[in-house]
Amino acid sequence: MATKEGPQVSEDINQVKGNRLDPWLDSYAARAHGLRASETRSLFAVASRPEVVSLAGGMPNLKDLPLERLAEATAEMIRKDGGRALQYGNGQGLPRLREQITEVMDIEGIEAYPEDVIVTTGSQQAVDIITELFVDPGDVVLAEAPTYVGSLSIFSTYQADVQQVSIDADGVIPEALEETIVRLEREGRRIKFFYCLPNFHNPAGVTLTEERRSQVIEICRSHHILIVEDNPYGLLGFEGQTYTALKTLAPDDVVYLGSFSKIFAPGYRVGWAVAPPAVREKMKLASEAAILCPSSVGQYSISMYLDQFDWKQQIREFRTMYRGRRDAMVAALEEFLPMCRWNVPDGGFYVWVGLPNGLDAKDMLPRAVTSLVAYVSGTAFYAGGRAGQDHLRLSFCYPEPVEIREGVRRLSGVVTRDLELLDLFGPTSSHRPSEGVHAPAPDQI
C-alpha cells in the first residue's frame, strides 16, 4: 500500500509545485524577495546584438590597451609567480598591490598607507560589504538623486530605505542634504551612511564643487553620518584635472572606494577600499567570510601591469579618447535632439539627457530598441523607480564616434515620433519631473 501511495503523493506534490513559477518561493529569506534584475542588466542581451547601437552600458573601451604585450607579460608572470598567483591569498589583498594602490591614489592627493587598504572584488563588493556591516532592514541610506544603479540594487537587497537627495550641475545640494537629514532625525529614523559619487557622476556626469565638498563633510560630521565616497572615474577628467577627495578632508569620517575597472580593465574585478581602522578590520572579516580572499591571479596581473607598463600614460590616452567620444555625443545631440537638454561632462562616461515634457524614457525604450538603439531609462537610477522617467542616460565610452552619431540619429527618430503622438493624443501616463538632478542652465549645455 505504501508503494502505491508513494508515487501518488509525489505526483500531487509535483502538481502543486508545478503550479508555481518557483517551488522554493516560500523558503527564501525576506531580503531575497527584493532581488530584481537592474534595467541596465536587462538591456545587455538586446544591446549586445551587432545591429543595435548601444548607448546604454558603461563598458570601458579596451581597444587601445597593448594586448599583445599584456599577453606576453602575463605569461611571464605565470611562469615566474604562478605558484603564488594561482593559490589562495591574503584576505586583505596582495601587499605589493596595496602599496601600488597608495601610489595610484596619490595622484588625487589621497594620503594612505598599504595597511589602510583592503582589496575587493571590484568596488561593487566594497559597497556590498559596507551595507552588510551597517544596515539593518529599515535603516536609512542616503544617496544622490539620481545615483548608481548597482549600489541601489545592493541597498535593496539589504532592505535599506534609500532616501535620495537632489543634485544640480554642481553636485549634491548641501541645503537639500541638511534638510533631508533633519527631517529623518525628527522622524526618529536611523541614518547609516551617505553614499555619493563626487567625480564625473554616474549617471548625471556632474562633479561636486570644491566648496560643496567641505560643506558636505561638515553636515555629515555634525550629524555623525559616515560618508561612502565611490570614485571609479576620478582619474578620467578630460583635461587631466582631479579634485580634493572627501577622504582627504575627513579621513576618519569617510570610506573611500576605488577601482581598476575604468582606468585599466574590468575583467580582473579588482577594486579597493580605504576605511577608518575599525571599519577596515570589519570589512576584512566580512570579505573573508564571503570569498576567503580576492582573486590572487587578478591582483598579480594588476600589480604586474603597474610595475611594467606606463599606466599613467595609458590613463592620459584614455582621457583623450573619451574626450573625443564625449565631443561626438554632444555634437550629435546638438544636431539631432535640440528639443532635449543635457549636461556636458568634464570627465567620465555619461551624458544625462532630459526629454521634452510629456515623454517617458522607460515607456519609449522598447520603441528605441526596435529602432536599433539602446539607452538606460532614468528610472533605473532612483530607488523603486519612483522618478527619472523624464531623463535617460547615454554612454559614450564604448562606441566609436561614428556609431555614437548614428545612435543619436536613430534615437531622434523615436523622440520625434513620440512627440508627434503626444501632440495627437496627449500623454499616455503620468509624467512627473525627476526629484533629483536639475536641468543645466542654457549656458552650461
Side-chain angles (χ1 to χ4, degrees):
M1 186 172 182
T3 56
K4 292 180 181 180
E5 289 181 357
Q8 182 63 50
V9 171
S10 178
E11 287 174 10
D12 290 343
I13 292 173
N14 287 333
Q15 186 175 5
V16 171
K17 288 183 177 182
N19 289 333
R20 289 186 186 173
L21 190 62
D22 183 354
W24 303 106
L25 186 64
D26 295 335
S27 299
Y28 292 127
R31 62 181 172 274
H33 295 289
L35 290 171
R36 297 288 186 275
S38 74
E39 294 186 32
T40 51
R41 184 65 59 186
S42 301
L43 277 171
F44 279 176
V46 172
S48 62
R49 288 160 41 194
E51 68 271 23
V52 176
V53 176
S54 177
L55 305 177
M59 296 184 297
N61 174 31
L62 307 181
K63 299 168 189 172
D64 295 334
L65 286 176
L67 296 181
E68 287 296 328
R69 288 183 56 218
L70 278 169
E72 294 168 3
T74 301
E76 178 60 28
M77 181 271 292
I78 293 294
R79 283 192 289 268
K80 177 182 176 183
D81 293 314
R84 290 174 294 176
L86 300 176
Q87 188 55 271
Y88 290 115
N90 186 315
Q92 189 169 342
L94 184 67
R96 173 58 183 151
L97 178 59
R98 286 189 276 122
E99 180 182 349
Q100 292 166 306
I101 286 171
T102 65
E103 297 168 5
V104 173
M105 292 190 294
D106 187 60
I107 297 175
E108 295 183 270
I110 302 168
E111 296 183 2
Y113 297 98
E115 57 266 28
D116 297 328
V117 178
I118 177 170
V119 177
T120 58
T121 305
S123 61
Q124 184 94 350
Q125 190 211 7
V127 177
D128 185 272
I129 292 172
I130 292 163
T131 309
E132 176 191 2
L133 290 176
F134 281 92
V135 173
D136 291 315
D139 285 346
V140 172
V141 170
L142 296 174
E144 295 146 321
T147 194
Y148 170 51
V149 61
S151 292
L152 283 177
S153 297
I154 291 171
F155 303 151
S156 174
T157 298
Y158 287 98
Q159 300 170 279
D161 178 9
V162 181
Q163 296 283 321
Q164 293 184 261
V165 182
S166 295
I167 66 178
D168 61 19
D170 293 326
V172 69
I173 302 170
E175 294 79 10
L177 179 62
E178 179 91 59
E179 290 169 7
T180 301
I181 293 171
V182 170
R183 172 179 60 80
L184 291 166
E185 289 179 340
R186 190 183 305 122
E187 295 171 0
R189 306 297 306 282
R190 295 202 307 170
I191 303 171
K192 290 304 182 72
F193 55 81
F194 172 45
Y195 171 81
C196 61
L197 299 103
N199 301 322
F200 317 126
H201 189 276
N202 178 7
V206 301
T207 294
L208 187 64
T209 62
E210 293 286 351
E211 179 183 7
R212 286 190 178 183
R213 288 170 192 253
S214 58
Q215 291 176 307
V216 167
I217 289 291
E218 288 307 312
I219 290 168
C220 290
R221 180 180 282 156
S222 65
H223 293 275
H224 192 58
I225 295 172
L226 183 71
I227 296 174
V228 178
E229 178 182 16
D230 198 356
N231 188 37
Y233 306 99
L235 293 180
L236 294 179
F238 296 146
E239 305 303 326
Q241 75 278 27
T242 59
Y243 299 89
T244 305
L246 302 179
K247 182 69 176 176
T248 299
L249 296 174
D252 296 329
D253 303 305
V254 176
V255 177
Y256 175 93
L257 310 182
S259 174
F260 288 103
S261 293
K262 306 303 189 290
I263 61 172
F264 180 30
Y268 289 110
R269 305 307 304 131
V270 174
W272 70 89
V274 179
V279 176
R280 182 195 67 231
E281 288 305 306
K282 287 191 178 298
M283 289 184 68
K284 177 182 173 183
L285 293 173
S287 178
E288 289 175 341
I291 63 169
L292 295 181
C293 63
S295 164
S296 293
V297 72
Q299 292 180 80
Y300 270 87
S301 298
I302 296 283
S303 181
M304 172 271 298
Y305 171 71
L306 295 175
D307 264 338
Q308 299 182 25
F309 289 74
D310 190 350
W311 57 271
K312 292 181 180 179
Q313 177 59 30
Q314 184 65 67
I315 290 174
R316 287 191 286 269
E317 292 176 8
F318 280 151
R319 290 168 181 160
T320 300
M321 179 266 297
Y322 289 133
R323 182 173 64 237
R325 282 162 163 73
R326 185 275 314 267
D327 292 344
M329 176 71 76
V330 172
L333 289 169
E334 291 172 345
E335 180 179 0
F336 295 114
L337 287 171
M339 71 289 285
C340 294
R341 60 199 189 277
W342 57 86
N343 66 305
V344 179
D346 295 323
F349 284 6
Y350 309 107
V351 174
W352 185 238
V353 178
L355 293 171
N357 290 337
L359 296 193
D360 187 317
K362 189 171 184 177
D363 178 68
M364 192 173 70
L365 183 55
R367 294 185 289 283
V369 172
T370 300
S371 297
L372 302 182
V373 61
Y375 60 81
V376 183
S377 167
T379 54
F381 307 100
Y382 290 83
R386 293 188 292 263
Q389 61 266 51
D390 58 338
H391 276 77
L392 51 87
R393 189 192 76 178
L394 298 182
S395 173
F396 53 80
C397 51
Y398 190 76
E400 296 291 338
V402 66
E403 295 174 307
I404 291 171
R405 185 179 185 277
E406 175 60 17
V408 175
R409 187 195 67 78
R410 295 177 187 180
L411 179 60
S412 72
V414 181
V415 171
T416 300
R417 287 193 295 272
D418 272 32
L419 283 174
E420 291 170 351
L421 290 173
L422 188 67
D423 288 340
L424 284 173
F425 303 110
T428 57
S429 61
S430 61
H431 298 275
R432 296 175 295 143
S434 298
E435 299 166 356
V437 67
H438 303 296
D443 62 351
Q444 295 169 324
I445 291 176

